[in-house]
Every structure is written in structure tokens, then in C-alpha cells.
Amino acid sequence: MPAAGHTALEIIAPFVDAAFYLASFAADAAARQDPVAHFHEIGWKLGRAPNPDFDTRYYLRMNDDVRAAGVNPLLHYLRFGRAEGRLPQRPGGARRALAEAATPPAARRPGRHPPPAAAGLDTPGMVARIAAACVGMRGLVVSVSHDRYIDITGGMQIFIADEQAQFNADRVVYLHIAPIITRLTLAGEGDEPIPLQLTLDGTVMGIALSDEVVAALAGIGDDVVAVRYFVLHSLFGHRCSVLAALSEALRPRRNFFWLHDYASLCAGYNLLRNDAVFCGAPPEGSMACRICVYGDGRADYRARVNGLFARVAFDVLAPSEAALAVWRQGNAGLAWRSTRVHPNALLRPDITLAARPGPIRVAFIGYPIPAKGWVLFLDLFRRARGVPGLSFYHFANPEALRPMAGLTSVPVKVDAHDRLAMADAIAAHDIDLVAMLAPWPETFSYVTREAIAGGADIVALTVSGGVAEAVRQHQRGVLFASEEAVLRFFLDGHVEAYVAAQRAAGRARQTLLACGTTATFDPLNPTLDPARLITHEPALVVIAGGTVVHGEAGDGELVFHLPAGTGEVRLLSRHVVPARLDPAGADYRRVGVGVAALALDGVKVPIGDDRRHAGWHGALPGDPAQWTSGDAALRTDGATRLAITLAASPAYQRCKLIPGE
Amino acid sequence: MPTTACITTFDLADLPAARVLAQSVRAAHPTWRLHAVLLDELPDDLPAGIFADFDTVVPVAALDIPRFPGWIFGHDRMTARLPAGVLLLGGMLGREADLVVYLDAGSAVFHPLDLESGPLAAASILLAPQQIEPNDFAPALRDGELASMRQGIYSPAFLAACNDRDGLAFAAWLAGMMGRHQADSRLGAALPGPLFCNLAPALFDNVRVIRDPGYNVGGVNISRRRIAVGADGGIGVNGVPLRFMVFPSAGSPEEAMMERYGRGDIELYELMNWHRRQLARHAMEQRA
């Protein structure tokens, strides 16, 4: 209790955090002049908090006598309330609010997200479309996730888009299946087929019922495409028995299951018990599961997932060692064929630049959700926003930004044509530290790589799995065992020495290489090395009608004997998007083969000839070759001999899952 | 083979809570028989199967309490719980079970109570104190030990007695005190039921006072107990398994104590949220 004789202002002064308080009254001259007097006379009546640990509104709401007396609640607390055991703020903080808001998956309303104006597909139609796409292609990948990845920007969606692009670049057809009814848990089992949406090589194909899709996959014979793979990225929204039937109908060489999250262990896919505390996936009969919103029905959920794994022999791919370790610890009852760590993106050292002086710049990247550490970042921001020498930023999609005083919002749009937009924005603002305060073991964290690529270091919790793993691997950041330790790092000034040393060493940028997820999986080499995937062999074939024509090498050219009466052919080859191999580049064109010369029945078809009518890039001045997009059309007008002379081929990334060069 | 019975008491408004208790007891002790006293009259239009979590439910009027109208008039729905339970306990011991355990309808069992084996099995009478560690903070002392001095040192949410000389004598004595004497104005002003248990260690042999923080976790002692969830999914208190917890009713002083002395422990709020969710679920089923 404060000593008798002190005035009210003397009593409360040590507990009015001027920097914190003034963040609410930046434009108020009286508040700036004397924050203590301002709070005592005005601030508490407006419900403003004098410091991060005293909630004026809560204290008044919980204490009728104080409210009735009309006294400054902070003064009352310091004089009497503290000794009487009254609380200065609602205990439990933001995590308590999260736990209270946690909802059992079964109680959540499912979404419905059909593709706009999509056609209904029947089995014969699907077989015909897939078979047509497979002509001249080296393989077929059927992948499954929880939403239509082409229309949504998120970590998993980016990985799937890159996977599709990279498979396509190696002449592999990519069919993606997502549910139309979306939910953050499994679809219920039953006999009624469920509606699915299909995307073929990045373009919406249509919608169909699950039994018809199963029948269509069963109708794709070895004569259509011999090499097939099944890739399961997400279980959510799907029925396990349907997933097993899809795989069985496809008859793939391998089934891959990606650990992008822990949904194979629990519907609480990030293993946050009651959305608040990392649980580590204890046995479903445990007390922890009993008190968790994901506990009800978890035994049935796991039985269904285990049933899927029993029917389908999965090769399990984890994007980090940390994710695999968590999964192994919690996956009792699951059977699988193999496990492998395979990252979704790689970082390579790039240039080091001088860091700008000025306040320490701390950022949060991405959607402001608790699973990404927004709650702790917000707490840090609230406590530290007035501290001299610290400034705070939020980088995200425009719709994800949460503008507030003292927080600089930076809109950033990452899309297929600018995967590095976030890294570039981090670099442009010369961010020192990115707070990646996920309270659970993230399986990979693309955002962490974006931050490092942009030259920032990471502040993270040791529990953060793939985040912490990246920090250790690249030696780019600092890890803390508890949320309190994170706050102390910033509020006790340790951050200053850290950033001083970091800036003295220079801002080390890195390049971020997308890995194409499954497309770069090499069954024979456990370590991902993109250089080992490089080939200069274009794997060029000619499609004449429905026939694949292979070339015969001779005299510096490839000769293709075309069936009589062929009016037009396609030149199908590997392709590459140069910017994907060289992030510093800006060439986002699909580049196939460089054609130095081309002749039909011995007659030259020169560059600019209108028979080269689709899929040809414009000829560059001084370049004797014209480049295709990897799928170029050529009118042949009945010619039977096509001779192609290739210029030097670019570096392609080949998929090691597909046999042959 | 020795048999164990668990009894509780509730009125219809507390049926959801009693069902939470019953289900938690079944999960921890599948072989126990579950009996309940209904503190209301049985309505005619009770939905079928509403008492399915219990083996038997008897109306309080069937307990053969002397001067029943006066007895029931002297209680409210909360203070009648323990006495009615004790009266049923006395009747069941020796007749239907070798060990009878009373648990308040507002409580829930998590890990097995370990009453039939181990150190507690040797006792004839089991009591769980409200506090087992002194408080040193004045408000917690006021809400804890000083309140217990007035209202009872032992938890009104738990007691157990064995079918032996001491257990039977204790059960008969306590039933008598709570049944007859509480309604007998010649004995002076009625005392809170739990207060009678203060005398048990003095009046009877083989009384075991359970000084284990895993038993009887509640608002009156949360200032000295910290809940944690282990990696194995077990729930612990001060490093030992959580056996049973007494959940406060909405707006009660015990709820305020949970808030005041819970130190913001997320695990405590998870438990309380869980209990609220179960109550809401059962209440919805009851309405349906």
C-alpha cells in the first residue's frame, strides 16, 4: 500500500507508462505535457489504460463499489484493491480469449466454394479430357488438397502451384482435386458421393461427383499414360474412403503424403489444444484430449485417417526435420511406406548490403492470426510501441492489414508472377527483425524464408518447429523458450546490442528458390540439390493428331516422319521459366526449345512464317533461333518429313520421378 | 470382490452438471455403481433416458428423513446436496457397497481416485481438506483458511467411507447429525453441514485426511495449486495427477476465487471452459 501522505498523482505516477499511454493520445497536447495528470483527470473516464498491465474498463466493470464511488480506478487499486486481492486486468490474457473462442470442428459451418461457371463433368468426358492432355506427356500427377489452389494465396497453395508448374515444365500432366464443400476437418463418411472440383494443368476443368472421378481415374489406362503419381497435400474437406478409392483407381507408382500440417494426427491441424497451447498430439484417450475442443471425435477421426493409411501405402514427405519429428511422435497406429524430409524452398546466400541506421525496425509478416504469432506480436507492440528506438511494421496482403497507431502497414501482394514481392518489401524497408512467434511447430514457414531472403533476422520461440529449424540452419535470428523471454528481449534493451551487431555485419540478403515440392523429389538422393536436377535435354516430341512422333537424330538435326495428311503438329518439349531458376531475373516467359532451322519436306520454314502460328516467342534481333513456349503449333499442310535443327537448349529442371532423360 | 458405489445429489437444474460428473466417474472407474438423490420431485413428463448416466436415481423424499418437511425447508438447493448424499451413503454402506464415495454434482473426476488400492485403501473414512498448504497472501488467507474455519475444514464435495466398524459408525453418526439434528431446533442454530466433518478425526479412528493436491482442486485452494498438462496428455496439479476438481457455479464466490487466484494459468481456464461446454451440451440435450 502506498505510504500515507502521498498525493494521488504521486501514487499513480510510477504506474502511468507515458509512452504506452500517449500512443492513444498522440495528438493531445495536454496529454503529452503531463500524461499522469491527464490520466488522473480524463484518461480513466475514457476507459484508457495507463499501462499494459492495468485494464481500466475491466477494473470498473468488476468492482461496482469503485464505479459507484467515481474514483480513479488505478488509484483505488494501488491504495486498496491490490491488497484486497482485486485484479488489475482479466487474467489469462489473449490466450484465454482464444481458448474460450475455440469451437469444435463439427460445430463450424462448412464453406461452399465451387469454381465460377464451371461445367459439370461425367466420367467419359473426364477420361477424354485427361487422355487428350496426356498425349505426348511423360506422366500424370493427381494431387489433392483442401481448396482450389489457383485462386488462393497461401503457403500451401504457392507450393502446389509451383509443383504444378514444375511438373508441367517436364511434360507431366497435373490434375488437382479439391472439395467443393470446404471444411477444416474431414468430410463425414457415407455412401453418398461428394462433390469435387478439378483443375487440369492450372485451369479449371469442372465439377464432378466423387464416384465419377474415381471411375474416370480407373479409366485412364497405361496406354494413355504409364507413369502416374498420387500426391495428397491436405485431407481437409475430403472423405478418407474417397481418397483411398481415388488412389486405388489411379494405380500410381507411388503415393505421396505431405506433412504441410498435422491434420493426419488431429483435426486441430496445428496441434494447439483449444487453439491456445501446443499439445504434441497425445493419445486420443488422454485427459488433454478430453478437455480440448478437438478431443471429441478425435478417436473416430484418427481411425478414419489410419484407415486411409492402411489402404494407401504413403511415402510421407515432411518439409522440415522438426515436422517429421512431431509427426513421428504422435502418429501411433499409422502405417506408411517411407518418410523423407524434403524442403519446399531453398535459400542461397546473395549480396550483403549496408544496413540503414535509425530505429530498430521490427515486422510481422502475413495474416494476423494467432497460429502465426499475431497475439504475442500484438502484446509486444502494445508494450513497446512508445519505446524510443523501436518501430513496428506489418507486411501483408492489403485485406490482411490491421492499421493502428504506431504500426506501419505495408501492403504486399505475392503471386505466381512475383514470388519475391515479400522479400523485396522487407529489403526495401530495411527490416532488422521479423517476429515469427508461432506457438506451435510450424512444418515449414515460407514467411520465415521470405524474411531471411529480405535480409531480416528472425525472432521466434523454440517451439516453432520449422521456423526455429530455419533460424538455426541459416544462423539468422534468435530463439526464446517463452513468450516472457521474447518480451524481455525487446523491453529490457537486449535487442539493441543484437541489432547493432547484425547491422555491423551488413544486411545479408538471400535468394529464395521454389522447390516444386514433389516435382523435385529424387528417390535416389535424400538431399535436395537443384543442380542435380538440371538437364539440357529438351525431350522434344512432335504430336501429329493423336500420335506421338519421336525424332531421329541425324546430320545435326532431328527428323520426324509425319503420318500422311497431317495438317498441323505440336512441338512439345520441356520448358523453363527463367525467373524461377534465377530469382534476380524477371523473365517469366515459358521457354521451350530454341529452333535454329525448320524444314518441311526439305523446304525451309523461316522465322516469321505464318505456319509457325502459336506458341512461338517473337524472334530477337540477332538471334538466329526462335524459341517455343514448350508447346508450339506448326502448320504442316500434308508434309511427311519435318526436320528441326535445335539451337543450344536452356537449363531445364527434370523430375527424377519420371523415367528417361 | 469388493464393490464401490459413487453417489451424488442434484436438483433438475443441476442435472447437466451431475451428468458431467457421472460420465467422468464412469470413464475413470468403469466398475463403480452410480447412484443419485434427486432433490426435486420427479416430474411426470421427464424425458425417457434422462437419468441413463446413473444406475439408480431416488427422490429425496424416499430417503426416510425424520421430519422431512422441516428438513427440506431448512435447506436450499446447494446446502441440501451434502446432507442428502450422506443420508444415502449411510443407507448404502454395507448393504450395497464396501466403499461408498460421495462427490458433489459440480465436480468431475479426471484421473482415477485410487481409493481401493494404495495408501488410501487402508482408511475407513476419507476426507479431503479444503486447504493443504497455508496461504501467505491476506486475501487468499481470507478466502481460504479463514473461510474454512467458518464453513468447514473438509471439502463438502467429497467424502468416502468403508464398510467396516469405523466407516459404518461415521456414516451413521454423520447421517444422524445431518438428518435429525440439523432439523432439531433444540440443538441450537443449524450449522453448515460440512462443519460436522471437522469432528470426524476426533470422534473416529482410521480417518485418512487426503493431503494430496490432486484431490479437491477448487476455488478455495487454487491459490496454492497450479495445473499443468503433460506431454503424455495427463493433467497434473503441483506435479501429481489431477484426481477431481470442484467446478464453481456461475457467479459464485468460488468462481471469483478461480479468477482472482488462478494467476492466468491457461490450463485452469481450459478446464473451466471444458466444464462449461459440457454443461451447455447436456442442457441442450435436456431441452431437446
Side-chain angles (χ1 to χ4, degrees):
Chain A
M1 189 177 294
H6 285 224
T7 67
L9 291 179
E10 285 171 341
I11 293 169
I12 68 168
F15 299 90
V16 177
D17 178 337
F20 174 86
Y21 182 67
L22 289 175
S24 306
F25 293 101
D28 191 314
R32 281 206 313 277
Q33 192 176 358
D34 189 344
V36 176
H38 187 272
F39 176 77
H40 186 59
E41 288 157 17
I42 298 170
W44 73 264
K45 294 172 187 166
L46 298 172
R48 300 302 165 89
N51 63 58
D53 299 314
F54 187 87
D55 184 338
T56 302
R57 289 180 178 156
Y58 173 83
Y59 197 80
L60 288 171
R61 190 169 66 247
M62 298 302 289
N63 298 288
D64 293 341
D65 55 337
V66 180
R67 197 169 60 243
V71 298
N72 177 343
L74 177 64
L75 182 63
H76 180 275
Y77 174 71
L78 295 171
R79 272 184 167 156
F80 313 108
R82 187 163 50 179
E84 292 166 1
R86 304 196 201 205
L87 297 173
Q89 62 182 346
R90 188 168 191 251
R95 281 210 297 179
R96 181 182 182 184
L98 286 176
E100 286 173 348
T103 310
R108 296 175 188 163
R109 189 188 295 265
R112 189 174 183 281
H113 299 286
L121 302 166
D122 59 13
T123 300
M126 279 185 277
V127 172
R129 292 275 295 277
I130 297 167
C134 287
V135 173
M137 299 297 270
R138 289 152 36 84
L140 167 65
V141 169
V142 174
S143 89
V144 176
S145 71
H146 62 298
D147 63 16
R148 197 171 59 252
Y149 70 97
I150 56 173
D151 292 329
I152 294 165
T153 303
M156 194 193 304
Q157 292 84 351
I158 285 176
F159 300 143
I160 295 173
D162 287 341
E163 179 177 89
Q164 175 232 308
Q166 207 141 319
F167 271 122
N168 286 167
D170 204 16
R171 287 178 40 213
V172 176
V173 175
Y174 195 87
L175 175 67
H176 180 263
I177 300 172
I180 288 177
I181 309 297
T182 56
R183 36 169 71 91
L184 288 177
T185 186
L186 300 172
E189 288 294 330
D191 294 331
E192 284 290 305
I194 59 174
L196 300 171
Q197 51 186 320
L198 282 67
T199 301
L200 186 61
D201 292 336
T203 303
V204 170
M205 183 174 159
I207 59 177
L209 291 172
S210 54
D211 54 350
E212 300 211 43
V213 180
V214 169
L217 294 185
I220 308 293
D222 282 357
D223 55 329
V224 174
V225 60
V227 180
R228 297 183 290 261
Y229 290 98
F230 185 70
V231 182
L232 183 45
H233 285 288
S234 172
L235 296 163
F236 280 172
H238 291 282
R239 183 182 291 164
C240 283
S241 58
V242 169
L243 294 173
L246 289 170
S247 166
E248 288 162 357
L250 182 66
R251 306 171 315 283
R253 291 193 174 194
R254 280 180 186 236
N255 295 278
F256 293 105
F257 183 91
W258 272 95
L259 295 181
H260 295 302
D261 54 38
Y262 304 107
S264 48
L265 306 179
C266 180
Y269 62 92
N270 45 22
L271 302 184
L272 286 173
R273 191 179 63 246
N274 291 313
D275 291 342
V277 185
F278 174 62
C279 69
E284 51 263 41
S286 68
M287 287 298 144
C289 286
R290 188 197 287 185
I291 65 166
C292 177
V293 294
Y294 300 103
D296 260 354
R298 182 168 175 235
D300 174 59
Y301 181 96
R302 291 213 62 189
R304 286 191 273 158
V305 175
N306 290 4
L308 169 63
F309 275 68
R311 279 176 68 178
V312 180
F314 280 113
D315 293 293
V316 177
L317 297 179
S320 66
E321 294 280 0
L324 189 56
V326 170
W327 187 78
R328 277 192 172 133
Q329 198 174 344
N331 68 6
L334 282 183
W336 66 89
R337 186 169 175 266
S338 72
T339 60
R340 170 83 72 86
V341 173
H342 189 68
N344 289 324
L346 291 177
L347 285 168
R348 291 275 184 267
D350 195 8
I351 53 172
T352 298
L353 303 171
R356 283 204 306 267
I360 294 168
R361 296 171 286 273
V362 184
F364 181 89
I365 299 179
Y367 279 90
I369 55 175
K372 296 293 180 190
W374 174 253
V375 169
L376 180 52
F377 176 78
L378 209 55
D379 191 25
L380 167 65
F381 166 67
R382 284 180 63 236
R383 291 171 185 275
R385 62 180 161 177
V387 174
L390 282 177
S391 57
F392 290 89
Y393 295 76
H394 181 197
F395 294 76
N397 272 333
E399 68 271 17
L401 293 170
R402 299 286 180 274
M404 58 188 86
L407 183 66
T408 303
S409 295
V410 183
V412 182
K413 189 81 178 167
V414 177
D415 58 30
H417 293 295
D418 196 359
R419 286 278 191 266
L420 299 176
M422 187 61 76
D424 290 341
I426 295 292
H429 287 78
D430 209 33
I431 295 299
D432 296 295
L433 297 169
V434 169
M436 289 296 307
L437 301 168
W440 61 288
E442 288 227 43
T443 56
F444 185 68
S445 182
Y446 190 68
V447 165
T448 298
R449 272 76 179 178
E450 290 178 312
I452 294 174
D457 277 13
I458 306 297
V459 177
L461 295 166
T462 48
V463 74
S464 61
V467 178
E469 189 173 305
V471 169
R472 291 192 192 99
Q473 183 186 349
H474 299 284
Q475 299 183 349
R476 289 289 297 274
V478 55
L479 301 172
F480 295 99
S482 69
E483 299 180 359
E484 293 73 23
V486 173
L487 295 177
R488 282 201 303 275
F489 174 69
F490 283 96
L491 299 174
D492 292 353
H494 305 300
V495 66
E496 291 165 18
Y498 181 90
V499 170
Q502 178 205 21
R503 288 182 177 180
R507 187 75 71 212
R509 289 206 60 179
Q510 304 228 4
T511 54
L512 181 61
L513 295 170
C515 289
T517 313
T518 321
T520 52
F521 178 80
D522 183 346
L524 301 178
N525 289 295
T527 308
L528 172 59
D529 180 1
R532 226 175 12 227
L533 305 177
I534 294 296
T535 178
H536 290 277
E537 166 55 47
L540 175 67
V541 292
V542 166
I543 312 297
T547 307
V548 181
V549 182
H550 294 277
E552 295 170 3
D555 203 18
E557 60 184 13
L558 283 169
V559 176
F560 298 86
H561 298 287
L562 308 179
T566 302
E568 180 176 302
V569 297
R570 287 164 60 206
L571 276 54
L572 205 58
S573 70
R574 286 190 169 113
H575 66 255
V576 64
V577 176
R580 289 197 190 284
L581 291 181
D582 174 16
D587 188 354
Y588 283 92
R589 295 179 308 161
R590 281 175 47 157
V591 175
V593 288
V595 177
L598 196 153
L600 289 167
D601 288 341
V603 180
K604 197 172 175 186
V605 181
I607 293 174
D609 190 303
D610 63 4
R611 284 175 288 179
R612 303 185 184 203
H613 72 93
W616 297 87
H617 294 299
L620 298 172
D623 189 346
Q626 186 178 15
W627 290 83
T628 72
S629 66
D631 186 1
L634 175 72
R635 218 171 56 241
T636 51
D637 299 330
T640 57
R641 186 179 188 278
L642 167 63
I644 300 175
T645 304
L646 294 178
S649 300
Y652 308 101
Q653 265 197 324
R654 65 158 301 210
C655 175
K656 292 277 190 175
L657 286 168
I658 310 295
E661 251 323 293
Chain B
M1 184 179 168
T3 57
T4 301
C6 180
I7 59 178
T8 192
T9 63
F10 60 88
D11 62 13
L12 286 173
D14 285 329
L15 177 56
R19 292 183 65 191
V20 176
L21 169 67
Q23 290 168 5
S24 73
V25 171
R26 288 255 188 250
H29 297 285
T31 62
W32 286 13
R33 301 269 296 166
L34 274 169
H35 308 283
V37 177
L38 178 65
L39 296 170
D40 286 317
E41 288 182 18
L42 266 176
D44 296 332
D45 57 349
L46 215 53
I50 196 140
F51 295 140
D53 291 311
F54 302 92
D55 292 302
T56 63
V57 175
V58 295
V60 67
L63 290 181
D64 201 21
I65 300 171
R67 292 191 288 277
F68 176 71
W71 184 89
I72 197 74
F73 185 75
H75 287 292
D76 62 26
R77 55 190 286 265
M78 296 304 286
T79 62
R81 281 182 175 180
L82 177 64
V86 166
L87 290 163
L88 182 62
L89 181 150
M92 302 200 85
L93 201 58
R95 188 158 48 85
E96 297 195 24
D98 301 300
L99 170 67
V100 180
V101 182
Y102 168 79
L103 282 164
D104 184 79
S107 55
V109 173
F110 291 89
H111 294 281
L113 299 182
D114 284 0
L115 304 178
E116 297 136 305
S117 60
L120 300 182
S124 300
I125 301 155
L126 290 160
L127 299 170
Q130 295 285 53
Q131 289 84 33
I132 60 169
E133 189 183 345
N135 283 291
D136 53 12
F137 177 49
L141 183 64
R142 180 196 64 207
D143 287 335
E145 291 93 311
L146 296 183
S148 296
M149 297 287 282
R150 290 191 303 276
Q151 293 159 11
I153 291 167
Y154 302 105
S155 173
F158 170 88
L159 60 83
C162 280
N163 181 26
D164 59 19
R165 191 195 63 184
D166 295 314
L168 287 167
F170 167 73
W173 169 78
L174 195 58
M177 297 305 290
M178 291 194 171
R180 183 166 64 82
H181 295 163
Q182 266 201 315
D184 190 339
S185 59
R186 289 170 300 177
L187 295 173
L191 293 168
L195 214 49
F196 289 104
C197 292
N198 288 4
L199 292 170
L203 299 180
F204 301 96
D205 287 327
N206 214 13
V207 177
R208 177 69 184 251
V209 174
I210 306 175
R211 295 190 65 249
D212 180 322
Y215 293 76
N216 189 44
V217 176
V220 293
N221 52 44
I222 198 66
S223 62
R224 286 299 192 187
R225 304 204 190 177
R226 175 153 279 187
I227 293 168
V229 180
D232 62 353
I235 302 180
V237 187
N238 295 5
V240 301
L242 170 62
R243 309 290 183 165
F244 76 92
M245 181 161 165
V246 185
F247 291 92
S249 51
S252 65
E254 288 77 17
E255 186 182 49
M257 289 178 214
M258 288 283 200
E259 193 82 5
R260 196 175 299 146
Y261 306 119
R263 294 172 297 263
D265 286 359
I266 186 69
E267 291 84 358
L268 173 63
Y269 302 121
E270 288 185 85
L271 282 165
M272 292 176 66
N273 292 342
W274 167 79
H275 195 252
R276 287 191 196 109
R277 284 199 307 273
Q278 302 309 306
L279 295 185
R281 184 162 65 92
H282 290 314
M284 196 176 293
E285 287 171 8
Q286 213 167 315
R287 280 197 297 273

